[in-house]
Amino acid sequence: MTEKPVAEASAAGESGEEGLIQARREKASRVRARGQNPFANDLDVTDRASTGSLRQRFAPALLEPAHELRYDPEKVAKLAGDDLFHLVGRLMARRGFGKATFMRLRDGAGELQLFAKQDVMGAAFAALEDVDVADHIEVRGRPMVTKTGELTVELCSLRLLTKALRPLPDKWHGLSDVDLRYRRRYVDTVANPEAALALVARSAIVQGLRAFLDAEGFMEVETPTLHSVIGGAAARPFTTHHNTLDLDLYLRIAPELYLKRLLVGGFERVYEIGRCYRNEGISTRHNPEFTMLEFYMSYATYGTLMDLTEELLRSVDEALERRLEVAGHAARYQEWRAARSFTFDEPFARAPMKQAVASALERADIPFELFERMAEIALPKDAPPGPASPGAALVGEWAKKSARAKKIDWSNFRKGLGVCENDGERLFCAYEYLAEPFLAEDYRSRDGSKSVPVFVIDYPAEVSPLARRKDADPTLVDRFELFVDGRELCNAFSELNDPEDQAARFVEQVEKKTRGAEETMDYDADYVRALEHGMPPAAGFGLGVDRLVMMLACQPSIRDVIAFPLLRPEAV
């Protein structure tokens, strides 16, 4: 248990955090009075070591089992020789016993124990009186091993680099603190190692995505985030205004149409990892500002991309494992992997949308006639959903067919059908309510212990305005969405490169907008013109990076994998 300095403990009893802050200010004043700067910036790092480099150097002295991090003192002394080690970092804990003090130092590579002894440090030992937990310090010392086998640096000198005027919180958890954690992320990631590790995982995953695509011959590019028309996806945009041009603009909802312009321009494989913005709700799975990976591949089909997607996700997971192992968190990765309710170890399932709905109906013991009677059970907009409404009796009969049928959200399913304008939209609505909620249940590993990812393929053309129609059935498109443990992760399709077909679909989107639909695209005349110059046959892919991090690092909320998630302004 960490002991508080006496001055802090006394101040805490008097006036809480303000007392602690005042006590720390007084210590900073004493440091200045000695002619030292409590906010120094004259550090010489030419000979600086890190906690990670020390552990690497002394790895041959580890005792078995190695994961317990116990060291042989004689081997450590031999490996150290007469070297003096220079470390900098944040003080995370200290416990004092008169003329001896143990501390823990944290830097970007991990933590290490320090040992300060008065008869070794001499007069320099007095500097510890003005050092608190959360301060940044500079130390020099020699490696040793404690009686418990812990690798430790015995200090010869210690200097305060930055005085932390505010202490770290003693408790940083619980429902009442969730909002505060996200607001003060700079404290959360220091006080909560799990929060910091989630962001380390994010970095590793993004690097893994880049490494895989670079190795496959893709070129990373950047495209505009300010758009003059709404395009690339069906979503509500954020709006802004350019003063000099006196031009209303939209924050991009997707980079798709610009990336495909590059295919027209002769770049065969391009990708972008960038921020996108959608003016939609906030939940544990949605943030209005999010990171998207999109890549486009000439002379490829959506079938090509299904194979590539499996390779990509496995490669990224391996990159995450390597990064955490190097950072000393191999055990944490294994915990995440064991906790996942899905597996990448087996081939991903592939299910045409209509087949997925049919299979879901069969599992729920609902007759296939539902396909033909969806218009009959649809609930028109603003119509009362009571038992007297058209189709209510039929739905009531189906809802009693099985335990699974009772779980279906029939009310919203009927409302969704009520705004559908064609068979394609009705099929998609049926999929969203009858099949998608049960994907993790329906597609399982060989031993049944975990779900397997599933590619839902062959979407209706009416809900896929940028995808290429299937040659065998023009009512459908060559498109897939990948669901991992029932959550959508990727969207991809063979690209529509017929300019006349694309122009017609843009017109349909505009007509929907005039009828009151909010999540529609504009007519992008320049993009149609680009297609008229000839875009090669191609396939395109989009992946939500935040969701991927959530899945691989077992994080319950999208806010946990975003360094600074959007929040309402703090109440004054």
Side-chain angles (χ1 to χ4, degrees), residues 46 63 69 123 230 367 370 393 399 452 462 499 505 510:
T46 54
L63 299 172
L69 297 179
I230 303 170
L370 178 143
V452 295
E462 292 88 345
R505 297 204 212 178
V510 172

Side-chain angles (χ1 to χ4, degrees), residues 451-469:
S451 67
V452 295
V454 54
F455 292 108
V456 177
I457 64 176
D458 300 348
Y459 279 57
E462 292 88 345
V463 297
S464 309
L466 297 171
R468 184 182 182 279
R469 294 181 189 271

Side-chain angles (χ1 to χ4, degrees), residues 51 54-55 87 103-105 110-114 151 153:
T51 59
L54 256 69
R55 292 199 183 279
L87 295 155
M103 298 171 282
R104 293 203 68 80
L105 180 81
E111 291 190 8
L112 192 71
Q113 181 166 263
L114 308 177
L151 181 64
V153 173

Side-chain angles (χ1 to χ4, degrees), residues 264-469:
V264 176
F267 298 95
E268 293 187 357
R269 297 187 179 193
V270 294
Y271 76 92
E272 182 171 11
I273 299 175
R275 305 296 271 180
C276 296
Y277 308 86
R278 299 185 183 179
N279 201 349
E280 299 169 346
I282 297 177
S283 72
T284 57
R285 298 186 187 181
H286 296 87
N287 197 65
E289 178 183 9
F290 61 98
T291 301
M292 184 85 112
L293 160 67
E294 288 203 12
F295 69 75
Y296 292 82
M297 186 176 184
S298 297
Y299 312 112
T301 68
Y302 81 132
T304 311
L305 294 197
M306 279 189 268
D307 296 334
L308 195 66
T309 300
E310 292 197 39
E311 295 175 23
L312 170 67
L313 294 179
R314 294 188 183 107
S315 174
V316 168
D317 195 24
E318 291 168 4
L320 173 61
E321 181 178 14
R322 289 193 299 269
R323 172 73 174 275
L324 293 190
E325 184 175 353
V326 169
H329 298 293
R332 194 70 185 102
Y333 170 81
Q334 294 302 330
E335 290 173 7
W336 284 346
R337 184 181 173 92
R340 293 174 189 166
S341 52
F342 63 89
T343 178
F344 288 162
D345 294 341
E346 298 181 16
F348 295 4
R350 303 185 183 190
M353 180 175 286
K354 191 166 186 177
Q355 178 183 310
V357 177
S359 176
L361 290 175
E362 183 176 3
R363 290 171 183 269
D365 200 26
I366 298 171
F368 292 164
E369 68 173 312
L370 178 143
F371 277 121
E372 285 73 40
R373 305 187 72 172
M374 285 193 289
E376 181 181 338
I377 65 172
L379 193 65
K381 189 176 181 180
D382 299 328
S389 62
L394 187 57
V395 167
E397 180 183 333
W398 287 338
K400 298 176 183 176
K401 287 290 185 179
S402 64
R404 174 158 164 168
K406 293 177 182 177
K407 297 178 183 177
I408 295 170
D409 186 352
W410 291 101
S411 176
N412 281 323
F413 175 38
R414 296 180 65 204
K415 291 177 182 177
L417 288 173
V419 297
C420 291
E421 298 179 348
N422 49 62
D423 289 341
E425 291 180 358
R426 279 185 280 272
L427 171 59
F428 183 69
C429 184
Y431 161 75
E432 283 191 309
Y433 287 97
L434 305 180
E436 184 179 318
F438 305 99
L439 292 176
E441 179 181 327
D442 292 348
Y443 298 90
R444 308 296 296 175
S445 59
R446 295 186 187 95
D447 64 4
S449 63
K450 294 181 181 288
S451 67
V452 295
V454 54
F455 292 108
V456 177
I457 64 176
D458 300 348
Y459 279 57
E462 292 88 345
V463 297
S464 309
L466 297 171
R468 184 182 182 279
R469 294 181 189 271

Side-chain angles (χ1 to χ4, degrees), residues 55 58-59 61-63 69-73 76 145-146 149-151:
R55 292 199 183 279
F58 295 106
L62 277 168
L63 299 172
L69 297 179
R70 293 168 57 250
Y71 291 79
D72 183 314
V76 166
V145 177
T146 63
E150 184 168 0
L151 181 64

